[in-house]
Amino acid sequence: MKIRFWGVRGSIPCPGPNTMKYGGNTPCIELRFQDVDRLIILDAGSGIRELGNYIVAHDLPKGPISTEIFLTHTHWDHIMGFAFFAPIYISETKLKVYGPVTYEDDTLEHVVGGQLTYRYFPVRQEELAAEIEYIHLKEVRLDMGDDIMVTTKYLNHPLLCLGYRFEYHGKVFCTAYDTEPFRNVFCTDPHDPSYDEAMSSEGEQVAQEENQRVEDFFAGADLLVHDAQYTQEEYESSKVGWGHSSFEHAIAAAKHSGVKRLALFHHEPMRTDAQIDELTKTYCNPDYGGNTEVFFAREGMKIEL
Ligand SMILES: [Zn+2]
Ligand SMILES: [Zn+2]
């Protein structure tokens, strides 16, 4: 598998002189499978615009474009680039869009394609030239053909959100964003009038089991791309429940599950290149990561598994 990052930033695009090194585009990852002519795209954040242009320049001359987009969820930073993905305006393009929907009556086609209405954009969905099929996903294991297997896992985010595990010729590529650790939702303070000892300990157990299931999901991955928007201090001070992880959590989870390489991902938009460089001294230090190699995902970065 060949992986290339086209967007690594969370929440909103933030181009400018302070984000040149790590990049300012929101999530989009290209995944190519060697020996078979398959291209899978993870997320349609603003990074997909450049990827679409690359595909038109490099793939289209060899024949019509056929690709699949797997959406982790439909928060805007993960779908905002869809209308700027050039292949959807080419009539021979065949595109499948996979993703979870939180409400059954809100189809993926409506949520994603619905960005193309005159209210927001000069082209309507009905006018798109490409053949686009939308497929709703839950927790499943799919045989994609060509020896490509994909498994999905629900994560902990305010909206239904899926982690993906791609397996191909003995290699494993996994994503776990946007997510934060599951936590006990019951009161844990014995002095609080709402405290119930049984509920509190059951809540603790359920949270631990769910966190274990997530770690099992990416066990042994050759590469894990994990949500890491905050430091643990930032997370605990005001970001609990926002649906994003700390560096500390991402690294600990990757180490527990024997992940070989961990890409810290979904960078906080406020974070400058200089600040990320400073963070690498702590979080990418081999003394910290142990057997797991830790790095900050960077736009344009290529990795081969
Ligand atoms: Zn996001
Ligand atoms: Zn999100």
Side-chain angles (χ1 to χ4, degrees):
M1 282 180 270
K2 281 184 172 175
I3 289 119
R4 184 164 170 185
F5 293 99
W6 293 86
V8 301
R9 195 64 68 159
S11 311
I12 191 162
C14 50
N18 292 324
T19 55
M20 297 263 287
K21 180 174 174 183
Y22 291 92
N25 279 306
T26 65
C28 180
I29 303 172
E30 171 190 0
L31 183 54
R32 302 243 182 200
F33 297 84
Q34 267 175 351
D35 307 325
V36 292
D37 192 20
R38 286 285 286 271
L39 162 65
I40 287 176
I41 299 165
L42 280 143
D43 278 338
S46 66
I48 203 172
R49 188 184 66 86
E50 279 290 342
L51 171 58
N53 296 343
Y54 177 87
I55 291 169
V56 169
H58 293 87
D59 294 88
L60 189 59
K62 294 178 224 155
I65 296 160
S66 173
T67 185
E68 290 137 307
I69 299 178
F70 283 79
L71 298 171
T72 55
H73 62 310
T74 57
H75 273 162
W76 197 38
D77 50 327
H78 300 256
I79 63 168
M80 61 177 12
F82 184 73
F84 298 89
F85 183 54
I88 62 176
Y89 299 98
I90 299 169
S91 62
E92 291 84 26
T93 297
K94 283 192 167 61
L95 173 64
K96 287 182 180 171
V97 181
Y98 295 83
V101 283
T102 301
Y103 310 103
E104 289 292 336
D105 53 346
D106 244 359
T107 65
L108 200 58
E109 178 165 10
H110 182 72
V111 177
V112 178
Q115 297 177 101
L116 288 101
T117 63
Y118 285 149
R119 189 174 292 138
Y120 304 121
F121 199 69
V123 181
R124 290 177 307 151
Q125 191 178 192
E126 298 78 44
E127 296 168 45
L128 294 181
E131 185 184 313
I132 306 175
E133 186 186 348
Y134 290 89
I135 299 139
H136 289 185
L137 282 185
K138 294 183 167 19
E139 278 194 343
V140 284
R141 185 165 162 82
L142 288 176
D143 185 341
M144 302 294 295
D146 297 324
D147 298 330
I148 303 165
M149 295 298 295
V150 58
T151 312
T152 65
K153 170 83 192 73
Y154 289 134
L155 302 174
N156 189 22
H157 203 55
L159 181 75
L160 207 59
C161 181
L162 289 173
Y164 289 107
R165 180 184 174 101
F166 290 91
E167 292 168 52
Y168 181 66
H169 292 183
K171 296 288 181 181
V172 177
F173 167 61
C174 218
T175 66
Y177 68 86
D178 297 355
T179 194
E180 71 179 292
F182 287 92
R183 64 189 184 282
N184 189 351
V185 292
F186 296 105
C187 176
T188 53
D189 177 7
H191 304 294
D192 190 297
S194 67
Y195 178 75
D196 179 309
E197 194 182 341
M199 297 243 277
S200 178
S201 68
E202 193 183 323
E204 197 58 46
Q205 196 189 334
V206 169
Q208 276 180 24
E209 283 168 9
E210 286 301 319
N211 287 325
Q212 186 59 51
R213 286 188 64 215
V214 173
E215 285 184 13
D216 292 345
F217 173 69
F218 46 66
D222 295 279
L223 174 66
L224 168 66
V225 176
H226 200 293
D227 191 315
Q229 189 151 346
Y230 306 121
T231 64
Q232 187 66 19
E233 199 184 339
E234 289 166 345
Y235 176 74
E236 282 172 11
S237 67
S238 59
K239 314 291 188 193
V240 173
W242 287 28
H244 299 291
S245 296
S246 67
F247 307 116
E248 284 84 347
H249 171 72
I251 294 167
K255 284 167 76 171
H256 288 160
S257 42
V259 166
K260 295 185 185 67
R261 302 174 82 184
L262 168 66
L264 301 171
F265 190 75
H266 205 275
H267 307 322
E268 160 62 39
M270 298 284 281
R271 203 92 68 197
T272 64
D273 288 335
Q275 287 168 336
I276 295 179
D277 279 342
E278 194 59 34
L279 291 168
T280 62
K281 292 178 191 163
T282 305
Y283 297 108
C284 304
N285 189 321
D287 291 340
Y288 192 150
N291 292 328
T292 301
E293 183 196 332
V294 181
F295 60 94
F296 281 78
R298 194 166 21 84
E299 220 173 285
M301 186 182 247
K302 296 179 189 174
I303 293 171
E304 197 169 328
L305 302 181

Coordinates of all heavy atoms in Angstrom, one line a residue, residues 9-11 26-27 43 72-73 75-78 157 177-178 227 229 244 266, ligand 1:
R9 N -5.1 18.6 8.6 CA -5.5 19.6 9.6 C -7.0 19.3 10.0 O -7.8 18.9 9.2 CB -5.4 21.0 8.9 CG -5.4 22.2 9.8 CD -4.3 22.2 10.8 NE -3.0 22.5 10.2 CZ -1.9 23.0 10.9 NH1 -2.1 23.3 12.2 NH2 -0.8 23.2 10.3
G10 N -7.3 19.6 11.3 CA -8.6 19.4 11.8 C -9.5 20.7 11.7 O -8.9 21.8 11.6
S11 N -10.7 20.5 11.7 CA -11.7 21.6 11.9 C -12.0 22.6 10.7 O -13.1 22.8 10.3 CB -11.5 22.3 13.2 OG -11.3 21.4 14.2
T26 N -7.8 20.4 5.2 CA -8.5 19.4 6.1 C -8.4 18.0 5.5 O -8.0 17.8 4.3 CB -9.9 19.9 6.4 OG1 -10.6 19.9 5.2 CG2 -9.9 21.3 7.0
P27 N -8.7 17.0 6.3 CA -8.4 15.6 6.0 C -8.7 15.1 4.6 O -9.8 15.2 4.1 CB -9.2 14.8 7.0 CG -9.1 15.7 8.2 CD -9.3 17.1 7.6
D43 N -11.7 10.4 3.1 CA -12.2 11.7 3.4 C -12.0 12.7 2.3 O -11.1 12.6 1.4 CB -11.6 12.3 4.7 CG -12.3 11.8 5.9 OD1 -13.5 11.3 5.8 OD2 -11.7 11.8 7.0
T72 N -14.9 9.1 6.9 CA -14.9 8.7 8.3 C -16.2 9.2 9.0 O -16.8 8.5 9.8 CB -13.7 9.3 9.1 OG1 -13.8 10.8 8.9 CG2 -12.4 8.8 8.6
H73 N -16.7 10.4 8.6 CA -17.9 10.9 9.1 C -18.2 12.2 8.3 O -17.4 12.5 7.4 CB -17.9 11.2 10.6 CG -16.9 12.2 11.1 ND1 -15.6 12.2 10.7 CD2 -17.0 13.3 11.9 CE1 -14.9 13.2 11.3 NE2 -15.8 13.9 12.0
H75 N -18.8 15.4 9.3 CA -18.5 16.8 9.7 C -17.9 17.5 8.6 O -17.2 16.9 7.7 CB -17.5 16.7 10.9 CG -18.3 16.6 12.3 ND1 -17.6 16.2 13.4 CD2 -19.6 16.8 12.6 CE1 -18.5 16.2 14.4 NE2 -19.7 16.6 13.9
W76 N -18.1 18.8 8.6 CA -17.9 19.6 7.4 C -16.4 19.6 6.9 O -16.1 19.5 5.7 CB -18.3 21.1 7.6 CG -18.4 21.8 6.3 CD1 -18.9 21.3 5.1 CD2 -18.1 23.2 6.1 NE1 -18.9 22.3 4.2 CE2 -18.4 23.4 4.7 CE3 -17.6 24.2 6.9 CZ2 -18.2 24.7 4.2 CZ3 -17.4 25.4 6.3 CH2 -17.7 25.7 5.0
D77 N -15.5 19.5 7.9 CA -14.0 19.5 7.6 C -13.7 18.3 6.8 O -12.6 18.2 6.1 CB -13.1 19.7 8.8 CG -13.4 18.8 10.0 OD1 -14.6 18.5 10.2 OD2 -12.5 18.4 10.7
H78 N -14.5 17.2 6.8 CA -14.2 16.0 6.1 C -15.0 15.8 4.8 O -14.7 14.8 4.1 CB -14.5 14.8 7.1 CG -13.7 14.8 8.3 ND1 -12.6 14.0 8.5 CD2 -13.8 15.7 9.4 CE1 -12.0 14.4 9.7 NE2 -12.7 15.3 10.2
H157 N -17.2 10.1 19.0 CA -17.3 11.4 18.5 C -18.7 11.9 18.6 O -19.6 11.0 18.6 CB -16.8 11.3 17.0 CG -16.3 12.6 16.4 ND1 -15.3 13.4 17.0 CD2 -16.7 13.3 15.3 CE1 -15.1 14.4 16.3 NE2 -15.9 14.5 15.3
Y177 N -9.7 8.4 13.6 CA -10.1 9.9 13.7 C -11.5 10.1 13.2 O -11.9 9.3 12.3 CB -9.0 10.8 13.1 CG -9.0 10.7 11.5 CD1 -9.9 11.5 10.8 CD2 -8.2 9.8 10.9 CE1 -9.9 11.4 9.4 CE2 -8.2 9.7 9.5 CZ -9.1 10.5 8.8 OH -9.1 10.4 7.4
D178 N -12.3 11.0 13.6 CA -12.1 11.9 14.8 C -12.6 11.1 16.0 O -13.7 10.5 16.0 CB -12.9 13.2 14.7 CG -12.5 14.0 13.5 OD1 -11.5 13.7 12.8 OD2 -13.2 15.0 13.3
D227 N -6.2 10.5 15.6 CA -6.6 11.9 16.0 C -5.6 12.3 17.2 O -5.4 11.5 18.1 CB -8.0 11.8 16.6 CG -8.6 13.2 16.8 OD1 -7.9 14.0 17.5 OD2 -9.8 13.4 16.5
Q229 N -5.3 16.1 18.4 CA -5.5 17.5 18.2 C -4.9 18.3 19.4 O -4.5 19.4 19.2 CB -7.0 17.8 18.1 CG -7.2 19.3 17.7 CD -8.5 19.5 16.8 OE1 -9.0 18.5 16.3 NE2 -8.9 20.7 16.7
H244 N -12.1 14.7 20.3 CA -10.7 14.6 19.8 C -9.7 14.2 20.9 O -10.0 14.3 22.1 CB -10.2 16.0 19.3 CG -11.1 16.4 18.1 ND1 -11.0 15.8 16.9 CD2 -12.0 17.4 18.0 CE1 -11.9 16.3 16.1 NE2 -12.5 17.3 16.7
H266 N -5.0 15.3 12.3 CA -6.1 16.2 12.6 C -5.5 17.3 13.6 O -6.1 17.5 14.6 CB -7.2 15.4 13.3 CG -8.6 16.1 13.2 ND1 -9.0 17.0 14.0 CD2 -9.6 15.9 12.3 CE1 -10.3 17.4 13.7 NE2 -10.6 16.7 12.6
Ligands
ZN1 ZN -12.6 16.7 11.9

